[in-house]
């Protein structure tokens, strides 16, 4: 089994910062990509940031220049560094990993449980 465990969410004031982390564990042969999604109440889940093959990154326009996605050297942990937070960043943030569990398998998406980020004064 593969498990993604997220942490780092919480309440922060506008302009503040948070760092989210997501650790993948279990039977993992390789991870081709990891990403952060978020979903606010009544809204669609959106891709916030992704890192592919441990280096190539992409961001939704609304967080460019404020958020940074990175992976640890072991490549089983992904971080989302969030700066200059705005109330509109309030959402449940979900970690996603595309995982190959053995050499002959296909890549399969796994999801974390979600962590709440609330930006409010």
């Amino acid at each position: 089994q593969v498990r993604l465990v997220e942490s780092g969410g919480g309440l922060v004031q506008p302009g503040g910062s948070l760092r989210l982390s997501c650790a993948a564990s279990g039977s993992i042969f390789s991870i081709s990509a990891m990403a952060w999604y978020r979903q606010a109440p009544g809204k669609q889940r959106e891709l916030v940031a992704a890192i592919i093959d441990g280096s190539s990154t992409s961001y939704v326009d609304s967080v460019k220049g404020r958020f940074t996605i990175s992976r640890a050297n072991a490549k089983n942990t992904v971080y989302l560094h969030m700066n200059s937070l705005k109330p509109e960043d309030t959402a449940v943030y979900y970690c996603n990993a595309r995982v190959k569990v053995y050499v002959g398998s296909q890549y399969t998406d796994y999801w974390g449980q979600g962590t709440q980020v609330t930006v409010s004064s």
Side-chain angles (χ1 to χ4, degrees):
Q1 63 176 355
V2 177
R3 185 175 66 156
L4 274 58
V5 179
E6 303 166 8
S7 62
L11 175 65
V12 65
Q13 293 182 333
S17 299
L18 285 174
R19 187 186 75 166
L20 306 183
S21 64
C22 172
S25 62
S27 182
I28 299 172
F29 177 76
S30 64
I31 299 176
S32 65
M34 301 187 79
W36 289 96
Y37 290 73
R38 68 185 180 187
Q39 187 167 23
K43 297 187 180 297
Q44 296 289 113
R45 183 175 298 188
E46 68 172 346
L47 176 63
V48 178
I51 183 163
I52 301 170
D53 294 325
S55 60
S56 180
T57 61
S58 63
Y59 301 89
V60 67
D61 286 345
S62 61
V63 309
K64 287 180 179 177
R66 300 189 297 119
F67 291 10
T68 302
I69 188 170
S70 63
R71 281 179 68 176
N73 289 338
K75 300 189 183 301
N76 65 346
T77 301
V78 65
Y79 303 95
L80 186 67
H81 303 263
M82 304 186 294
N83 300 313
S84 301
L85 283 161
K86 305 175 180 179
E88 49 263 47
D89 295 318
T90 296
V92 178
Y93 284 70
Y94 296 92
C95 179
N96 170 270
R98 185 155 290 178
V99 179
K100 180 180 287 187
V101 298
Y102 62 91
V103 65
S105 72
Q106 298 184 30
Y107 281 102
T108 302
D109 283 349
Y110 291 86
W111 293 88
Q113 77 284 359
T115 185
Q116 177 71 47
V117 172
T118 302
V119 184
S120 176
S121 60

